[in-house]
Amino acid sequence: MRADYEAMLARDPAFVPSRPVARNPVMRRPPNPEGRVFIEIPEAAAVLDVANALYNQMLRCLVQAYGRAHRERADRAELIDTAIGLMGIVTPVAEALTTLPANAQSPGVNAGMTFATLRGLEPLVEGASEWRILSDRFADLAEGLRHLTSLVPEADALAQRLDTTAARFLARANNPPKAGESAPMTTPAPAPATPSPAIEIAEGEALTIAFEGKRCIHSRQCVLKAPTVFLANTPGAWIMPNAMDAEKLVAVAENCPSGAIQYKRRDGRPDEAAPPVNVLTIRENGPLAVNAPINLDGVEIGMRATLCRCGQSKNKPFCDGSHNGAGFTASGEPPTGDATALAVRNGPLAISPLRN
């Protein structure tokens, strides 16, 4: 690091490796303000408010994960993974904050996070209300970030990630039974399936890649076949469409069985074509994989989808991997029957999910 620093100084004697961030920023003017830097310029205050809110949501997830002695293992893992993901969202917001001046009375001093926390962080009561409250908060944070697009370079992409988490937590709230339990008959019918608005977009020179986390079943086709494009567990931007030949990346996208990865050509070449024959594959001990121009409850969702067959998914009608924990067993072979080809075997495929 020292050698790199000295090389940078040799190239640019004016190079400064850090920003002049306040050592002791405060969000609200304290009773004894001496020695403290009050963040009062509106732009900096707005970014600081969202940064602290993200930090508190991270703490909330950790409290929910560890605040009770006995938590369902899957719930605890979900909360811990979400908290770690929030660290990757706080970072670019905090970095943007350090580029903004703190106040008019401290020229040359930039703002920084104050890490202000709530007075009480007692765990919320476990159950559907817990997930709904957390979901609402993620949606609020996403909306707050969208107001900062002129101040935080990655605000829209970060907001989409928060929307994805909000949708995932809301699905848990709406489907409270654990794996292996039956939902009561009074459970409200699921809302019509529509594409999630939480879709991450990555613009490349030849392709635009879209990722819809709600549909991902972690088949790992993307990170194994295109590891330079899909940077797993990377904070901030993680999809790099220019890091691979466009045709090879198209092939990887079209091999995504869930349809979580979609693409749009920007080089004048045709987008994904409909298959010559619509295919529904029954996966052994697993979901239904569909390859067709899919119309799901009246909404076009692309050419590929993986749909729940075990009945345990918290993200119906899409598969979320719950069949693994539920110990679901079922043949991957269709019953023997009439194999006469249909007169029309391609074209739009209408799918209407029905309860039970």
Side-chain angles (χ1 to χ4, degrees), residues 133-210:
I133 289 169
L134 292 171
S135 173
D136 288 347
R137 187 57 172 158
F138 277 113
D140 289 342
L141 290 167
E143 184 63 23
L145 265 175
R146 289 193 174 93
H147 289 296
L148 303 177
T149 52
S150 63
L151 300 170
V152 180
E154 302 174 44
D156 279 334
L158 298 174
Q160 288 171 0
R161 289 173 61 183
L162 293 170
D163 278 333
T164 298
T165 305
R168 193 169 69 248
F169 277 37
L170 185 59
R172 280 181 174 266
N174 291 335
N175 296 274
K178 301 295 186 290
E181 296 179 352
S182 299
M185 293 303 292
T186 55
T187 300
T194 56
S196 168
I199 299 177
E200 297 182 61
I201 303 295
E203 299 280 358
E205 295 176 3
L207 298 173
T208 295
I209 298 294

Side-chain angles (χ1 to χ4, degrees), residues 216-226 232-233 252 255-257 261:
C216 180
I217 61 167
H218 306 290
S219 70
R220 297 182 60 77
Q221 292 290 325
C222 55
V223 296
L224 296 178
K225 299 295 179 60
N233 303 316
V252 172
N255 275 318
C256 172
I261 297 174

Side-chain angles (χ1 to χ4, degrees), residues 203-274:
E203 299 280 358
E205 295 176 3
L207 298 173
T208 295
I209 298 294
F211 176 76
E212 187 174 1
K214 175 182 177 180
R215 291 170 61 174
C216 180
I217 61 167
H218 306 290
S219 70
R220 297 182 60 77
Q221 292 290 325
C222 55
V223 296
L224 296 178
K225 299 295 179 60
T228 59
V229 176
F230 300 96
L231 310 179
N233 303 316
T234 300
W238 64 283
I239 303 175
M240 308 297 170
N242 294 330
M244 187 176 185
D245 174 76
E247 299 310 315
K248 292 180 179 178
L249 182 53
V250 162
V252 172
E254 292 186 358
N255 275 318
C256 172
S258 67
I261 297 174
Q262 306 277 348
Y263 70 89
K264 200 81 175 169
R265 303 293 301 233
R266 305 184 67 187
D267 55 6
R269 305 201 61 182
D271 292 324
E272 183 172 0

Side-chain angles (χ1 to χ4, degrees), residues 6-82:
E6 291 174 345
M8 289 178 180
L9 281 180
R11 291 194 301 270
D12 178 11
F15 171 73
V16 177
S18 62
R19 299 187 182 116
V21 177
R23 291 174 179 266
N24 47 6
V26 290
M27 191 173 177
R28 297 176 179 84
R29 194 177 296 279
N32 299 311
E34 295 79 13
R36 296 175 174 83
V37 176
F38 178 50
I39 311 302
E40 64 180 1
I41 290 181
E43 291 80 4
V47 176
L48 173 59
D49 191 39
V50 171
N52 279 345
L54 288 165
Y55 172 66
N56 275 272
Q57 185 73 342
M58 180 195 73
L59 295 180
R60 168 59 65 193
C61 288
L62 292 175
V63 167
Q64 295 306 117
Y66 293 112
R68 304 290 185 194
H70 305 289
R71 279 225 72 142
E72 286 290 333
R73 185 172 181 177
D75 288 350
R76 176 168 288 163
E78 173 73 66
L79 290 161
I80 294 169
D81 288 347
T82 300

